[in-house]
Amino acid sequence: MTVTGAKIWGSWIGPQTSGEMSELSPEQRDFLAHVRTLNAVERDEAYKQKFAEQVMKHPHIYLWNWMSNVARMLFNYPYSKRQQSLFTYGYLAPNMLLVFLLLASVYVAIRQARDLHGELLILGLTCLIYAGLMSLVSVTSRHLIVVMPFGVLWLAYIFSRFVRVRIDTFAS
């Protein structure tokens, strides 16, 4: 999450894939080579220490990688070291509509806050907290699948209860 470099978007880079990445600096390569020699507990501690050091040294890079995580969760894009293809649009187009509807539903929910059922408000907040906390660490689009049924329930409730679409026909 805090790895810096060109074409690195905050996706997970572990010791297994580090040898394939020409974008890594010699310092990063040395750290990942060192981590490869540690047991699991020591490796976890080394990653935590390096993470804290990198965030203090480069907070803007962590912010950039966090935004990449949010985009990766919602749109399955961007990934480090992955050639993008037309398959990306298979996620991008429908998920853009979904994100728009979710943002619109939040606006409607805020405007109609008094009429919301408490259970659905708690459900919506739980899903937002889950997605927000997951985005702070490495995340992919599959992590969003967990809350999608609740997101669809939220959308159905908000738009069926509070939104009315009326089409007027004008006589000529």
Side-chain angles (χ1 to χ4, degrees):
M1 215 8 229
T2 62
V3 174
T4 61
K7 299 181 184 174
I8 297 177
W9 302 101
S11 50
W12 178 253
I13 298 170
Q16 308 87 320
T17 58
S18 62
E20 308 163 7
M21 299 194 66
S22 59
E23 293 88 357
L24 294 178
S25 70
E27 177 191 343
Q28 293 164 338
R29 286 183 189 285
D30 292 344
F31 173 73
L32 290 172
H34 167 69
V35 165
R36 196 178 296 135
T37 65
L38 302 175
N39 67 40
V41 174
E42 292 169 336
R43 189 178 317 133
D44 185 57
E45 286 301 317
Y47 280 136
K48 287 178 188 175
Q49 182 180 0
K50 189 67 165 175
F51 170 78
E53 176 187 316
Q54 289 289 87
V55 169
M56 297 306 263
K57 196 188 306 185
H58 306 287
H60 63 284
I61 290 174
Y62 180 73
L63 178 64
W64 180 260
N65 287 342
W66 174 76
M67 290 187 301
S68 296
N69 269 354
V70 171
R72 194 170 23 262
M73 181 172 51
L74 296 175
F75 305 117
N76 203 36
Y77 177 85
Y79 281 96
S80 306
K81 295 293 286 179
R82 180 191 285 181
Q83 187 69 16
Q84 298 300 323
S85 66
L86 290 177
F87 183 70
T88 303
Y89 295 111
Y91 277 92
L92 202 60
N95 286 5
M96 284 175 66
L97 176 64
L98 185 64
V99 169
F100 171 76
L101 289 174
L102 285 170
L103 291 175
S105 72
V106 168
Y107 171 76
V108 171
I110 289 170
R111 300 257 332 207
Q112 302 292 330
R114 290 185 195 162
D115 297 331
L116 280 177
H117 288 267
E119 298 85 1
L120 279 218
L121 185 59
I122 290 170
L123 179 67
L125 287 174
T126 302
C127 291
L128 281 175
I129 290 168
Y130 165 81
L133 291 176
M134 284 299 296
S135 71
L136 294 175
V137 295
S138 188
V139 70
T140 62
S141 59
R142 67 188 166 105
H143 293 104
L144 193 62
I145 292 171
V146 174
V147 294
M148 283 312 299
F150 305 112
V152 171
L153 177 68
W154 171 265
L155 288 173
Y157 173 77
I158 294 295
F159 286 108
S160 67
R161 183 166 166 98
F162 300 116
V163 176
R164 300 283 180 256
V165 176
R166 190 180 75 205
I167 301 174
D168 288 332
T169 56
F170 297 101
S172 6

